Amino acid sequence: MTTRRRLDPAERRSQLLDVGAELFAAKPYDDVLMEHVAERAGVSRALLYRHFPGKRDLFAAVYRQAADRLLAASEIDPAAPVLDQLSAGLDAHIDYFVANRNTVLAANRVLSGDPVIQAVITDELAVLRQRLLDATGLEDGSRRMVSTALMSWLVFVRTMCVDWLTHQTFSRTELRDMCVGALTGALGAVVDLERFGAGAGFAEPSRTAPDSRTALDSGAGPDSVTAPDSRTTPE
């Protein structure tokens, strides 16, 4: 067993999350045991269970932390080309999926029926949809239609990424291009993608002038801790 260091509760929790993230990324979910986590972290199983009552609880905290970090890396600046930022956000998510294949597959397959894990995914998708919707600048009736299209697109991206991780029958570039193409194709009939790409937000396309939109390429998708432990005694 690794030599145990005395940490305050917040530091210990952070350490356990890091160790859990490493193990869930390295092995399929069913192969990760709590005793492995405790041994790698250099703590007793009793201490581990004080922070996380079970493996599912540890995994949920790991996945929530990853989702929060990805959201932090995917902020949208309406003054900059949104489609370029969308592409960068997709790259960030795909990078995480590649580096944490077992974690992503566990969340979307092994634990697909778990309400806590699925709430993490649902919450992340909701934040991403709101950010993209706000970036459109739409305030009229088109906003509801675009909101529905964005959520459908995010679910499509999630499905595509999970399938790609499972089978890898096409390239990463093709994955991103298909995701971007699906979004521009869905929204192109409703909004001005050329202005959106230029960072000016969406605008209703002209009904009289010729359609001058061009095909724009870009791209955008899993973990946060639960409530912080308020104890201060080192562990």
Side-chain angles (χ1 to χ4, degrees):
M1 177 181 286
T2 305
T3 302
R4 179 176 166 184
R5 296 185 297 115
R6 293 185 65 80
L7 303 172
D8 68 39
E11 291 174 327
R12 181 64 70 190
R13 183 184 179 84
S14 178
Q15 180 215 17
L16 294 174
L17 284 171
D18 289 343
V19 171
E22 291 174 5
L23 291 177
F24 285 125
K27 301 178 181 180
Y29 179 81
D30 290 338
D31 292 347
V32 178
L33 303 179
M34 290 294 271
E35 47 260 47
H36 296 162
V37 177
E39 181 178 2
R40 176 74 67 87
V43 303
S44 67
R45 279 182 287 178
L47 178 55
L48 174 60
Y49 283 114
R50 281 171 56 189
H51 287 276
F52 304 101
K55 183 170 74 170
R56 195 287 308 268
D57 302 282
L58 174 60
F59 183 89
V62 165
Y63 208 64
R64 172 73 70 179
Q65 182 172 267
D68 283 354
R69 288 174 177 174
L70 285 170
L71 286 174
S74 305
E75 292 281 359
I76 293 179
D77 177 5
V82 178
L83 287 176
D84 287 349
Q85 296 177 79
L86 189 67
S87 179
L90 263 178
D91 280 334
H93 278 75
I94 294 173
D95 285 344
Y96 174 81
F97 296 159
V98 171
N100 299 272
R101 178 178 180 275
N102 287 316
T103 305
V104 175
L105 292 180
N108 289 277
R109 294 201 184 281
V110 180
L111 298 171
S112 61
D114 187 286
V116 175
I117 304 303
Q118 296 315 302
V120 174
I121 296 173
T122 299
D123 290 348
E124 183 189 9
L125 296 183
V127 172
L128 290 170
R129 173 176 64 173
Q130 191 61 49
R131 287 179 180 176
L132 290 169
L133 187 60
D134 289 345
T136 68
L138 292 173
E139 297 294 344
D140 57 15
S142 297
R143 186 178 176 89
R144 170 50 56 187
M145 178 168 54
V146 170
S147 176
T148 301
L150 286 172
M151 181 54 76
S152 299
W153 176 74
L154 288 166
V155 172
F156 168 79
V157 170
R158 173 189 172 191
T159 302
M160 287 290 295
C161 288
V162 171
D163 186 81
W164 178 71
L165 286 173
T166 303
H167 305 293
Q168 296 195 15
T169 53
F170 45 92
S171 71
R172 172 180 171 146
T173 299
E174 290 172 325
L175 170 66
R176 193 185 69 173
D177 288 350
M178 281 188 284
C179 290
V180 173
L183 181 62
T184 56
L187 299 184
V190 182
V191 297
D192 187 343
L193 294 178
E194 197 168 62
R195 289 190 62 193
F196 191 51
F202 279 130
E204 292 290 345
S206 170
R207 302 303 179 189
T208 55
D211 192 341
S212 61
R213 289 168 292 168
T214 59
L216 295 175
D217 226 42
S218 90
D223 160 325
S224 153
V225 300
T226 52
D229 194 329
S230 60
R231 295 169 297 167
T232 56
T233 304
E235 297 176 334

